[in-house]
Amino acid sequence: MGVETNSIARNLDRVRKHIAAAAERAGRKVEEITLVAISKTFPAQSIREACNAGVRHFGENRVQEWESKRPSLEDLPATWHLVGHLQSNKAARAAQLFHTIDSVDSLHLARKIEDAQKAAARVQPVGAAGAGSENRRLPVLIQVHLGGEESKSGVEEADLFSVAQAILELPHLELRGLMCLPPYAEDPEQARPYFRRLRELQEDLRRRLRGSHHLEATLPELSMGMSHDFEVAIEEGATQVRLGTALFGSRKTK
Ligand SMILES: *Cc1c(COP(=O)(O)O)cnc(C)c1O
């Protein structure tokens, strides 16, 4: 176990240096960038080790897998992200199990999550812990399907504005930004146009939302970049990088 602990801590150290270097190249502050450790397929113990080493954000891509790990990790001071495709019949469970859903890929799904949040807010007992918990908004990101991406998930660019507007009308969700998942390429430079595009879409969306009087919609987050291309993503404006392999090692293929 000592060895394991060391290697996650060492990986974290190395990753943080790369994040800092990429931020510096881009003239950005390192505090603008949140490391989200993607712990799918790794045991709860690995998550605990990463948390002990200082990681505070974790992402999983399957509701069921996270449901089985979470009970043993309730004590950790961490924020739990869902980063994978969510089936709408699992929206209610996801809303209970995660602090943020970073992969909302349709308005239909957003509405299911809204319904779940609304129902949960209703059953909160009066005077329940946490002031204002009766109107808790669940943070979400829209996963965008960028042109040329092979993955089928995500809101089409052409629909982004109307979907964002509709989500902003949902009182139990808080739209925080955008997420993308470009196709894997050996050369991380090949992901750069996708990251740049997501940043452009963010700026465009902010402008159009301001024009339609959604003045509160600053959409600060851009979740983009994985283990092999996070440095490029940071250069292009990522505020959240999602790192699995770089922290935990390679995953066993199923
Ligand atoms: C698995 C996964 C990651 C992390 O991938 P690595 O290449 O191991 O860093 C990031 N984002 C999503 C959505 C994932 O499913």
Side-chain angles (χ1 to χ4, degrees):
M1 197 187 94
V3 174
E4 280 278 284
T5 304
N6 267 332
S7 76
I8 291 177
R10 250 202 324 267
N11 290 344
L12 179 63
D13 200 45
R14 182 164 30 83
V15 159
R16 285 210 196 285
K17 287 189 178 118
H18 285 283
I19 291 175
E24 180 159 353
R25 279 198 299 281
R28 303 181 58 203
K29 293 201 192 81
V30 74
E31 307 84 68
E32 292 171 21
I33 298 142
T34 300
L35 188 166
V36 184
I38 307 299
S39 45
K40 65 190 184 199
T41 79
F42 289 94
Q45 183 56 28
S46 299
I47 297 174
R48 184 170 292 280
E49 286 175 18
C51 193
N52 287 341
V55 177
R56 287 295 175 269
H57 290 258
F58 292 88
E60 291 271 338
N61 69 338
R62 285 167 190 274
V63 174
Q64 226 152 338
E65 183 181 341
W66 177 231
E67 205 164 25
S68 71
K69 291 184 213 173
R70 179 158 179 168
S72 61
L73 298 170
E74 295 281 12
D75 59 310
L76 298 186
T79 299
W80 312 109
H81 298 238
L82 179 65
V83 300
H85 174 66
L86 174 60
Q87 289 166 283
S88 50
N89 63 0
K90 291 184 182 155
R93 263 155 75 209
Q96 284 181 330
L97 288 163
F98 293 94
H99 293 124
T100 164
I101 298 182
D102 298 349
S103 47
V104 172
D105 54 12
S106 71
L107 182 54
H108 175 72
L109 176 61
R111 292 202 166 113
K112 291 287 178 189
I113 303 168
E114 164 70 17
D115 291 346
Q117 278 295 100
K118 194 167 158 185
R122 226 177 14 246
V123 300
Q124 286 275 346
V126 179
S133 61
E134 66 285 346
N135 197 21
R136 191 172 76 91
R137 282 171 174 257
L138 187 71
V140 297
L141 304 180
I142 297 177
Q143 181 175 350
V144 183
H145 180 227
L146 298 168
E149 264 183 3
E150 43 203 276
S151 93
K152 284 172 299 230
S153 283
V155 171
E156 297 298 331
E157 290 184 25
D159 301 330
L160 187 55
F161 177 59
S162 65
V163 170
Q165 265 191 316
I167 292 179
L168 286 165
E169 301 296 334
L170 302 176
H172 299 85
L173 300 189
E174 182 191 1
L175 180 58
R176 298 279 304 160
L178 306 177
M179 178 267 210
C180 74
L181 191 56
Y184 178 84
E186 275 302 311
D187 178 5
E189 282 300 325
Q190 295 201 7
R192 191 182 294 277
Y194 294 94
F195 298 147
R196 190 166 290 173
R197 182 70 190 139
L198 197 69
R199 169 80 180 269
E200 281 168 10
L201 288 169
Q202 177 198 37
E203 281 167 9
D204 188 54
L205 192 55
R206 281 173 173 161
R207 219 171 7 249
R208 293 179 71 183
L209 289 170
R210 269 198 305 274
S212 68
H213 306 292
H214 283 288
L215 301 177
E216 77 291 0
T218 57
L219 311 188
E221 304 292 347
L222 281 181
S223 170
M224 56 189 196
M226 304 176 21
S227 290
H228 69 292
D229 57 14
F230 68 94
E231 294 165 272
V232 174
I234 289 169
E235 288 169 12
E236 295 299 331
T239 64
Q240 301 182 10
V241 290
R242 307 184 307 265
L243 306 182
T245 318
L247 280 176
F248 297 110
S250 54
R251 290 180 289 274
K252 292 186 186 74
T253 45
K254 286 187 193 149

